[in-house]
Amino acid sequence: MIRRRELLAGLGAAAMPVAAGAQEGYPNRPITMMVGFAPGGGTDIVSRMLGPRIQEELGQPITVENRPGASGTLAAGVVARARPDGYTLLTGTVSTQCTVAPLMRPPPYDQLRDFTPIMLVGTLPLVMVVRAENPARDIAGLVRYAETRPDGLNYGTSGVASQQHLSSELMARRTGMRMTHIPFRGTGQSVNALLAGDVDVNIDTLATYLPYIRDGRMRALATTLPQRATALPETPTVQEQGFAGYDMSVWYMVLGPAGLPPEALRRLERAYARTLEDPGINRRLVEAGYIPGGGTAAAAAELVRRDAERLGRLVQEAGIRLE
């Protein structure tokens, strides 16, 4: 007869490999990918584009959950406070990870300490766009058009201190145009405002506006990286139009909470690297206007640190505040 103590000891020993296997078997259930902006914007587009291929790599479903508001920090805050087990992730942007949170009182999270950067997945040039009815054909033409408007121009963005906001403020300072900021809860609302004529010009992600440019409803005046965009090669850059040093973009990065287990980090890093190396995914990203990402988790962390410092200075110089 087996004594009770021996039976319990045997059961405990048998359970140990199961528990260890559960830890080593990441992932073994669905993953939630938080997106801090409404459907239709660059963050949502890249998340849904990569999602099916990442599911294949990880063998588990990935659900994209849009939680727009507060310039993307609502979703980022959810991930910063989530259990660090790899099942709640974020498609963060340069705005959510580098510029917006420090302006809030109190800050919803520490942008450098509360996350584990996993991988840069893509970069988007921004594009300055107007409705097709606008007479401007380039930046100089927009400056002339602004001079005919007693109150200057209105521009829309997905939120205060977003990269769209910073890019537009920098444009106003470099050109001398009078431009009034109209923040919206997401890119989709900003697009609709431009289509309706409620705002005059937007500087936003190329992936968002490329369909409207291609169907003729909007006109591209300039792109914001030093080199021309592959998806819009006929449109000159801001620098080509006489504004040396103007270099703005939006990057997208997958992050988890701080303290992500090393095994989960390695698994996710490998899955995203393999996905971004896939020729079909790479082609789709380029066709949509993205510059495909890649690299390592360490490189992603360094990018966050560097841009937090660089763009933080621009926020201070522009005097941007959250009311």
Side-chain angles (χ1 to χ4, degrees):
M1 181 180 293
I2 300 176
R3 292 192 180 96
R4 181 174 182 275
R5 182 170 57 190
E6 293 171 342
L7 177 61
L8 291 175
L11 289 173
M16 287 178 64
V18 174
Q23 280 187 327
E24 294 170 2
Y26 174 87
N28 54 28
R29 56 187 172 88
I31 296 168
T32 298
M33 178 65 69
M34 301 297 301
V35 170
F37 302 92
T43 317
D44 182 73
I45 290 170
V46 74
S47 300
R48 296 182 188 277
M49 189 181 296
L50 299 182
R53 185 68 173 81
I54 294 295
Q55 288 183 170
E56 293 178 14
E57 288 290 331
L58 297 178
Q60 291 292 335
I62 294 182
T63 301
V64 175
E65 182 176 329
N66 297 87
R67 193 170 297 191
S71 297
T73 60
L74 291 183
V78 169
V79 176
R81 296 185 295 271
R83 183 178 178 181
D85 54 12
Y87 292 98
T88 305
L89 304 176
L90 172 73
T91 303
T93 71
V94 62
S95 301
T96 62
Q97 305 311 126
C98 296
T99 59
V100 180
L103 295 175
M104 297 182 173
R105 294 293 179 268
Y109 49 79
D110 186 297
Q111 56 194 7
L112 298 180
R113 291 201 300 263
D114 289 348
F115 298 91
T116 300
I118 297 167
M119 185 162 291
L120 175 71
V121 295
T123 302
L124 271 177
L126 303 174
V127 59
M128 173 184 278
V129 291
V130 295
R131 287 185 301 155
E133 297 83 0
N134 192 298
R137 294 293 188 275
D138 51 24
I139 296 175
L142 189 67
V143 171
R144 291 192 296 271
Y145 176 68
E147 290 171 349
T148 69
R149 305 285 298 275
D151 298 322
L153 305 178
N154 294 329
Y155 68 91
T157 74
S158 57
V160 175
S162 63
Q163 197 73 342
Q164 294 87 337
H165 184 191
L166 295 181
S167 300
S168 301
E169 286 297 312
L170 183 58
M171 178 63 65
R173 294 171 64 194
R174 295 293 301 274
T175 61
M177 284 189 291
R178 183 177 178 183
M179 299 175 68
T180 300
H181 181 209
I182 310 294
F184 294 92
R185 284 179 57 85
T187 299
Q189 293 182 2
S190 180
V191 171
N192 290 336
L194 183 58
L195 287 170
D198 296 328
V199 298
D200 304 297
V201 58
N202 284 350
I203 300 179
D204 211 321
T205 57
L206 180 55
T208 298
Y209 281 98
L210 201 53
Y212 302 97
I213 295 167
R214 286 174 172 166
D215 71 14
R217 283 184 286 174
M218 295 187 188
R219 181 182 305 112
L221 304 185
T223 54
T224 61
L225 285 173
Q227 68 278 8
R228 293 195 181 194
T230 302
L232 212 60
E234 69 280 6
T235 301
T237 68
V238 175
Q239 289 197 25
E240 286 180 288
Q241 298 185 55
F243 301 94
Y246 190 103
D247 182 359
M248 300 292 282
S249 63
V250 172
W251 50 249
Y252 302 91
M253 182 181 294
V254 177
L255 308 99
L260 200 65
E263 184 208 346
L265 176 58
R266 287 193 298 270
R267 186 78 173 88
L268 288 163
E269 187 179 20
R270 184 166 64 250
Y272 274 94
R274 286 169 61 91
T275 295
L276 290 165
E277 290 167 0
D278 182 287
I281 293 293
N282 198 280
R283 183 176 61 254
R284 289 182 62 198
L285 286 169
V286 171
E287 288 174 351
Y290 294 85
I291 301 169
T296 64
E302 174 59 20
L303 176 61
V304 173
R305 186 203 62 77
R306 186 173 65 247
D307 271 6
E309 180 179 345
R310 176 177 72 93
L311 297 172
R313 288 197 300 269
L314 179 56
V315 168
Q316 292 180 344
E317 291 170 0
I320 294 173
R321 300 285 186 271
L322 287 177
E323 299 300 331

